[in-house]
């Protein structure tokens, strides 16, 4: 075997090693995204990560959404061998699995106070986007399904604000690479505090001024009053 053949064999070996796809590890939800431009409700990779829970007002009802950062840990194969297709390790989310207060989360972490006994599962499609391989990151909007929202509302505390009930929604993104391999993220847990009137009460407190509710998908938020 001459040196040229040896380099070709080594390049192929490195490509195969670098392209190994690990379900639950290759694609990772890394956090909840804040809008990079709140006025226009736009999001971009590499922005600020939001910490803490989102709020859901059972009295206000309706839907709720969040935007997540998703990291693609797969290696761009063309960086190892230019003859390999770079897009082979692109990843596109297709569906999202949502689980409210999953039993295995409770068993593993033992949250205190305990989570409500209300559970629900949903499997819904998401907007198709691409994650750039080799350390690429995208933002992905996730809408909480009507069934999950209804189940969340059923856990609202009997009293008004500031009483809150903590829930947890497990989020898993399922998708495929550019060459068709199915890959999903590990489940990422979103804490949701359910209240009974904390946001709707804030709207009433605007006292005649037009309330403006932040419609960017960062959970339900307290309104600001516009004179």
């Amino acid at each position: 075997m001459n040196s040229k053949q040896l380099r070709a064999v080594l390049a192929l070996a490195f490509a195969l090693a670098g392209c190994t796809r690990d379900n639950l590890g290759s694609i990772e939800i890394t956090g909840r995204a804040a809008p990079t431009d709140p006025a226009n409700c736009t999001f971009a990779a590499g922005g600020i990560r939001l910490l803490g829970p989102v709020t859901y007002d059972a009295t206000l009802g309706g839907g709720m959404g969040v935007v997540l950062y998703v990291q693609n840990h797969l290696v761009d194969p063309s960086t190892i061998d230019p003859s390999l297709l770079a897009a082979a390790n692109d990843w596109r989310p297709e569906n999202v699995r949502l689980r409210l207060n999953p039993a295995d989360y409770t068993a593993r972490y033992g949250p205190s106070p305990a989570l409500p006994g209300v559970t629900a599962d949903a499997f819904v499609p998401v907007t198709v986007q691409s994650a750039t391989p080799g350390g690429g990151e995208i933002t992905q909007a996730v809408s909480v399904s009507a069934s999950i929202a209804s189940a969340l509302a059923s856990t609202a505390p009997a009293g008004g604000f500031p009483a809150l009930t903590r829930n947890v929604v497990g989020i898993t993104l399922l998708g495929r690479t550019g060459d068709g391999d199915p890959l999903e993220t590990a489940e990422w847990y979103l804490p949701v505090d359910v209240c009974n009137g904390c946001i709707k009460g804030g709207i009433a407190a605007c006292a005649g001024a037009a309330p403006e509710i932040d419609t960017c998908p960062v959970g339900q938020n307290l309104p600001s009053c516009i004179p």
Side-chain angles (χ1 to χ4, degrees), residues 5-82:
Q5 291 172 324
L6 178 60
R7 285 196 299 269
V9 171
L10 290 175
L12 179 59
F14 282 126
L16 291 174
C19 296
T20 298
R21 299 176 175 94
D22 175 24
N23 215 15
L24 307 185
S26 296
I27 311 297
E28 179 187 13
I29 298 173
T30 59
R32 187 161 58 97
T36 48
D37 182 358
N40 294 305
C41 192
T42 57
F43 296 79
I48 298 173
R49 282 165 171 74
L50 293 171
L51 302 177
V54 299
T55 303
Y56 185 82
D57 187 345
T59 303
L60 187 63
M64 181 181 71
V66 293
V67 173
L68 304 175
Y69 287 124
V70 183
Q71 182 76 35
N72 186 341
H73 293 294
L74 298 175
V75 175
D76 179 348
S78 68
T79 62
I80 301 170
D81 183 346

Side-chain angles (χ1 to χ4, degrees), residues 20-30 70-74 91 95 97 99 104 108 171-177 181-189:
T20 298
R21 299 176 175 94
D22 175 24
N23 215 15
L24 307 185
S26 296
I27 311 297
E28 179 187 13
I29 298 173
T30 59
V70 183
Q71 182 76 35
N72 186 341
H73 293 294
L74 298 175
W91 179 83
N95 298 285
R97 181 189 301 123
R99 300 198 303 157
D104 51 339
R108 184 181 305 130
I171 300 174
T172 304
L173 293 172
L174 302 91
R176 294 181 184 276
T177 61
D181 284 350
L183 278 181
E184 63 185 70
T185 67
E187 191 168 37
W188 186 82
Y189 298 109

Side-chain angles (χ1 to χ4, degrees), residues 91-95 125-131 138-141 174-176:
W91 179 83
R92 292 175 173 81
E94 297 175 339
N95 298 285
V126 299
T127 302
V128 175
Q129 297 186 13
S130 292
I138 59 168
T139 56
Q140 176 62 52
L174 302 91
R176 294 181 184 276

